[in-house]
């Protein structure tokens, strides 16, 4: 509809997770690094959490597109199941044939034989469970038991659980202590800050063939304030803004267009849950007969509470974002140090090989120092 109007090849803000549109922010890159490490090291349990609409599914799809061809992957999306149903869902995902009506024990035995067969062929098996926060304690315990399927030396299956922040709270329950102990790698994907939001919007427009500066800074700033840095909400807002601008024949995106979207399309899920609750409460109060201005006082009080709640939410988001940035900065520093150590190690290797191959007379103390850096004894030849 509006793609030709804004010189776009396609709609840049679709809600369907598309790994081709993944914006690799610092925290997304760190999340990928954690997940890739967990898979490459064949760690049993890997966990990714994040708010609704933060981009977890997009990130997982991007990761699955990069994995080695020697890995068989099954993804379970339907997590509103009882414990006895889980194994049958998993068999279906991996297209393992079984007879209807078999017992749970028989189904587990069939799956174990499937894993042994894949292991014998040198193939790895990965099970991804999305929306894992919907799983009951009993089903999570069933998932943990799957990790017991192993040989004497290696795990036969790797499990990645993906869910909303309350998944972490669930796992902290003492009843799931054994489950928590199995999670070796985990990462929480936090909301984007203002700079990342600006880069995210520009990235998606650019990927669609448009002008990355289509959304001016003042509009981006307000989009970030309304969305809280959540990609799905940003997509909702940006797509609606483009539709409204097109309908008004305006190629310039302005705050006025955004205000119109927010006013008329609040039902899109753009507003916070707290604001929706307050609006509903005010509507309920308005149905009560007024008594000496009581209604106005209650409404004003609710508005003040709403503003206070929004201020508290913003402050909590700011503190959380600062914490996440500090962690990401530390990870970046460690990556830089690791790269520097790798370069240093390669230089030392070249020096040592040159000394050993050309038999260049060197100071014995320096020779000993080089050898000690490699954890070896001094080269025996005396030159």
């Amino acid at each position: 509809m509006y793609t030709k109007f804004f010189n776009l090849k396609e709609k840049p803000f679709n809600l369907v997770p598309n790994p081709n549109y993944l914006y690799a922010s610092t925290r997304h890159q760190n999340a990928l690094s954690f997940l890739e490490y967990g898979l490459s090291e064949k760690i049993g349990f890997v966990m990714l959490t994040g708010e609704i609409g933060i981009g977890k599914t997009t990130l997982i799809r991007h990761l699955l597109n990069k994995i080695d061809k020697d890995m068989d992957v099954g993804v379970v999306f339907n997590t509103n199941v009882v414990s006895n149903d889980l194994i049958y869902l998993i068999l279906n995902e991996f297209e393992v044939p079984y007879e209807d009506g078999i017992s749970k024990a028989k189904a587990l035995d069939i799956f174990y034989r499937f894993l042994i067969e894949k292991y014998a062929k040198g193939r790895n098996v990965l099970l991804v469970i999305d929306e894992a926060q919907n799983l009951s304690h009993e089903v999570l315990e069933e998932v943990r038991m799957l990790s017991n399927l192993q040989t004497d030396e290696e795990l036969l299956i790797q499990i990645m659980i993906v869910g909303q922040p309350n998944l972490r709270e669930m796992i902290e329950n003492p009843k799931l202590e054994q489950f928590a102990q199995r999670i070796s790698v985990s990462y929480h994907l936090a909301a984007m800050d203002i700079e990342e939001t600006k880069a995210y919007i520009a990235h998606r427009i650019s990927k669609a063939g448009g002008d990355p500066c289509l959304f001016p800074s003042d509009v981006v700033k307000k989009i970030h304030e309304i969305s809280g840095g959540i990609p799905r909400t940003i997509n909702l807002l940006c797509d609606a803004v483009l539709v409204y601008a097109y309908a008004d024949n305006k190629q310039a995106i302005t705050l006025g267009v955004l205000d119109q979207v927010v006013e008329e399309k609040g039902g899109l899920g753009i507003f916070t849950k707290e604001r929706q609750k307050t609006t509903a409460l005010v509507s309920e109060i308005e149905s009560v007969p007024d008594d000496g201005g009581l209604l106005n006082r209650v409404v004003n009080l609710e508005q003040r509470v709403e503003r206070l709640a929004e201020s508290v939410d913003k402050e909590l988001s700011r503190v959380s974002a600062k914490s996440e940035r500090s962690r990401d900065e530390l990870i970046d520093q460690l990556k830089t140090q690791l790269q520097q150590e790798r370069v240093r190690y390669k230089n030392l290797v070249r020096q040592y090989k040159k000394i050993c191959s050309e038999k260049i007379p060197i100071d014995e103390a320096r020779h000993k120092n080089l050898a000690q850096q490699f954890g070896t004894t001094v080269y025996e030849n005396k030159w």
Side-chain angles (χ1 to χ4, degrees):
M1 180 169 61
Y2 58 71
T3 51
K4 290 183 179 180
F5 186 75
F6 289 107
N7 298 316
L8 300 167
K9 296 182 296 184
E10 56 188 356
K11 294 176 68 175
F13 298 104
N14 274 321
L15 296 182
V16 178
N18 186 347
N20 293 327
Y21 272 79
L22 177 68
Y23 167 61
S25 68
T26 300
R27 49 196 84 189
H28 280 79
Q29 291 174 357
N30 288 336
L32 279 173
S33 296
F34 272 76
L35 298 178
E36 288 173 348
Y37 168 77
L39 295 182
S40 63
E41 295 299 314
K42 297 185 178 180
I43 290 173
F45 272 92
V46 178
M47 182 172 72
L48 174 67
T49 56
E51 296 289 346
I52 298 173
I54 200 68
K56 301 183 295 295
T57 302
T58 303
L59 191 68
I60 293 301
R61 290 188 178 184
H62 175 78
L63 177 67
L64 295 182
N65 286 340
K66 294 175 59 180
I67 63 174
D68 296 333
K69 294 181 180 180
D70 64 349
M71 179 173 284
D72 292 288
V73 181
V75 183
V76 173
F77 294 102
N78 179 18
T79 51
N80 291 306
V81 295
V82 297
S83 60
N84 287 337
D85 292 337
L86 179 65
I87 183 61
Y88 304 109
L89 281 176
I90 294 173
L91 288 174
N92 290 332
E93 282 300 320
F94 286 104
E95 299 181 351
V96 181
Y98 65 94
E99 297 179 2
D100 291 338
I102 63 172
S103 67
K104 176 181 170 183
K106 179 64 176 177
L108 281 169
D109 182 64
I110 291 174
F111 187 55
Y112 181 65
R113 292 177 183 276
F114 163 77
L115 294 177
I116 289 293
E117 180 183 343
K118 293 298 180 181
Y119 176 76
K121 293 179 180 179
R123 299 190 62 79
N124 300 312
V125 178
L126 170 65
L127 172 65
V128 180
I129 302 178
D130 202 359
E131 300 296 341
Q133 76 281 347
N134 295 328
L135 297 175
S136 65
H137 288 184
E138 291 75 15
V139 178
L140 283 172
E141 183 62 16
E142 292 289 331
V143 174
R144 181 188 71 83
M145 295 298 291
L146 289 177
S147 65
N148 291 334
L149 301 178
Q150 59 186 55
T151 67
D152 292 337
E153 298 178 353
E154 292 187 40
L155 295 172
L156 293 176
I157 183 172
Q158 289 180 271
I159 301 173
M160 181 184 297
I161 56 173
V162 184
Q164 296 169 23
N166 57 318
L167 174 61
R168 288 177 173 267
E169 298 174 8
M170 290 172 57
I171 294 175
E172 290 174 359
N173 189 305
K175 294 181 180 179
L176 294 173
E177 182 178 358
Q178 287 184 312
F179 187 96
Q181 291 173 350
R182 298 291 178 96
I183 299 174
S184 302
V185 173
S186 67
Y187 191 90
H188 180 73
L189 199 56
M192 297 186 291
D193 60 26
I194 178 62
E195 292 301 322
E196 289 171 328
T197 299
K198 180 178 180 180
Y200 173 83
I201 294 173
H203 167 77
R204 293 191 74 102
I205 293 175
S206 180
K207 287 287 288 186
D211 179 5
C213 298
L214 181 60
F215 282 72
S217 298
D218 58 343
V219 176
V220 171
K221 182 179 179 181
K222 188 161 186 177
I223 287 175
H224 178 261
E225 290 176 356
I226 298 170
S227 67
I230 302 296
R232 185 181 298 168
T233 308
I234 294 172
N235 287 358
L236 278 168
L237 280 166
C238 289
D239 185 69
V241 165
L242 292 175
V243 170
Y244 274 56
Y246 166 74
D248 292 339
N249 199 32
K250 297 178 180 178
Q251 288 195 320
I253 304 300
T254 64
L255 279 174
V257 177
L258 176 59
D259 290 339
Q260 186 182 1
V261 168
V262 173
E263 182 179 352
E264 297 183 11
K265 296 293 184 181
L268 285 173
I270 292 172
F271 300 126
T272 63
K273 295 179 181 178
E274 289 76 11
R275 182 166 181 175
Q276 290 173 355
K277 289 178 182 177
T278 301
T279 303
L281 184 57
V282 170
S283 298
E284 183 179 343
I285 292 172
E286 288 175 344
S287 65
V288 179
D290 194 7
D291 182 14
L294 176 61
L295 173 60
N296 288 333
R297 290 198 296 274
V298 172
V299 171
N300 288 335
L301 179 61
E302 288 298 332
Q303 290 175 344
R304 290 173 61 187
V305 171
E306 178 186 344
R307 288 194 294 270
L308 179 61
E310 289 178 350
S311 298
V312 171
D313 285 342
K314 287 181 180 179
E315 182 62 20
L316 288 175
S317 297
R318 187 189 67 79
V319 173
S320 176
K322 184 177 180 180
S323 175
E324 295 290 341
R325 282 197 299 272
S326 298
R327 181 199 60 187
D328 291 337
E329 288 172 1
L330 177 59
I331 292 173
D332 290 338
Q333 290 174 7
L334 291 174
K335 285 181 179 178
T336 301
Q337 291 178 13
L338 177 60
Q339 185 61 31
Q340 291 173 346
E341 286 300 314
R342 284 175 175 168
V343 172
R344 177 175 171 275
Y345 178 78
K346 289 179 181 179
N347 290 336
L348 287 172
V349 168
R350 282 196 293 269
Q351 292 180 36
Y352 199 58
K353 285 184 176 179
K354 183 176 181 181
I355 292 169
C356 295
S357 61
E358 299 181 6
K359 297 185 177 181
I360 302 173
I362 63 169
D363 181 90
E364 186 173 343
R366 179 169 175 264
H367 184 194
K368 183 176 181 180
N369 181 51
L370 279 171
Q372 287 176 343
Q373 291 188 59
F374 288 94
T376 63
T377 57
V378 179
Y379 195 70
E380 292 182 357
N381 288 356
K382 302 295 183 179
W383 306 319

